[in-house]
């Protein structure tokens, strides 16, 4: 079975600090993409960052970076210099022939 | 407009009503998806259309009926829904060969 586990239902961080959201997944496929999506209270799911499984180099998008450990099937998201606008639900997922999501982590950012 | 749009944003309906949700994508994609998002559950894939043909139906009850008249538009027709169908319904699109999906803002559906 293909599954995604986000073990942290809620996380909080102080503005300007760094936070890491964890994600583990399970698949028998070797070719897949991994994603982090953000869903703010406005509800629109926005792609934050993506990683191709065949690439060893960790993806980075401005303040967002991932720690991809393929053997451990781990795909954590690090948010540096957190901002109030980062407050949202964050969903980890991977895509082989369809997109599988975790249950999400709610991130609160305190001023 | 750009991206993926959905209308209406909010819908309240009785169990005997018939309504439709609309999704439109302006990204030149050729695959479209309907998802259901309920509290504390992972997103549930309901339907997939690829090149305007339905390729997946994840055992969704027949009271949900999708329609994809062209690659830019996707509808979800609703009839005789149940209160447990209340949820956020998200539309997404992608290239058939792509792995990245782009989502619309969703329709918040409440069934009374």
């Amino acid at each position: 079975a293909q599954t995604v586990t986000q073990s942290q239902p809620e996380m909080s961080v102080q503005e300007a600090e760094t936070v890491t959201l964890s994600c583990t997944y399970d698949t028998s496929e070797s070719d897949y993409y991994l994603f982090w999506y953000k869903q703010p209270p406005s509800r629109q799911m926005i792609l934050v960052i993506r990683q191709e499984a065949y690439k060893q180099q960790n993806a980075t998008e401005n303040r967002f970076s991932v720690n991809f450990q393929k053997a451990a099937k781990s795909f954590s998201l690090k948010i540096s210099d957190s901002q109030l606008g980062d407050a949202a639900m964050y969903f980890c997922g991977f895509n082989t022939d369809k997109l599988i999501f975790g249950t999400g982590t709610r991130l609160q950012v305190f001023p | 407009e750009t991206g993926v749009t959905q209308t209406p944003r909010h819908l309240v309906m009785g169990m005997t009503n018939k309504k439709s949700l609309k999704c439109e994508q302006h990204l030149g994609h050729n695959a479209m998806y309907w998802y259901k998002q309920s509290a504390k559950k992972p997103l549930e894939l309901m339907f997939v259309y690829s090149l305007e043909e339905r390729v997946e139906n994840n055992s969704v009850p027949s009271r949900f009926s999708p329609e994809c008249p062209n690659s830019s538009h996707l509808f979800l027709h609703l009839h005789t829904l149940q209160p447990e169908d209340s949820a956020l319904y998200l539309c997404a699109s992608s290239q058939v060969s792509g792995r990245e999906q782009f989502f619309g803002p969703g329709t918040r559906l409440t069934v009374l």
Side-chain angles (χ1 to χ4, degrees), chain B residues 32-91:
Chain B
M32 296 186 79
Y33 311 80
W34 279 117
Y35 288 89
K36 177 183 177 183
Q37 186 177 32
S38 306
K40 306 210 167 138
K41 285 185 174 182
L43 258 67
E44 299 173 53
L45 178 64
M46 299 176 73
F47 298 104
V48 179
Y49 275 84
S50 177
L51 300 171
E52 299 160 42
E53 288 194 14
R54 190 193 305 182
V55 296
E56 185 154 351
N57 170 0
N58 281 353
S59 302
V60 178
S62 59
R63 57 185 182 268
F64 294 91
S65 174
E67 179 190 359
C68 187
N70 55 60
S71 61
S72 299
H73 294 87
L74 184 64
F75 295 90
L76 188 62
H77 304 299
L78 316 170
H79 63 97
T80 59
L81 294 191
Q82 304 298 310
E84 60 264 30
D85 297 323
S86 299
L88 181 67
Y89 288 84
L90 292 169
C91 172

Side-chain angles (χ1 to χ4, degrees), chain A residues 10-89:
Chain A
E10 291 193 7
M11 292 284 286
S12 60
V13 63
Q14 206 83 26
E15 205 176 0
E17 297 296 308
T18 296
V19 65
T20 299
L21 309 183
S22 64
C23 173
T24 58
Y25 62 94
D26 191 21
T27 179
S28 57
E29 301 287 335
S30 58
D31 180 26
Y32 50 90
Y33 285 65
L34 295 142
F35 302 96
W36 277 97
Y37 280 88
K38 167 186 175 181
Q39 188 177 37
S42 65
R43 302 189 317 228
Q44 184 136 19
M45 296 270 279
I46 303 164
L47 180 67
V48 174
I49 197 166
R50 75 171 198 172
Q51 171 86 41
E52 290 92 337
Y54 64 87
K55 287 189 177 176
Q56 292 186 337
Q57 186 172 6
N58 289 323
T60 300
E61 286 288 340
N62 301 314
R63 299 182 294 107
F64 298 88
S65 62
V66 298
N67 183 4
F68 174 45
Q69 304 288 329
K70 191 172 183 180
K73 293 182 180 169
S74 169
F75 184 61
S76 61
L77 175 70
K78 185 171 86 171
I79 306 174
S80 305
D81 186 26
S82 298
Q83 300 176 359
L84 295 176
D86 294 334
M89 282 290 288

Side-chain angles (χ1 to χ4, degrees), chain A residues 86-101:
Chain A
D86 294 334
M89 282 290 288
Y90 285 80
F91 293 93
C92 174
F94 71 90
N95 194 340
T96 54
D97 60 347
K98 63 180 178 182
L99 191 48
I100 309 291
F101 284 101

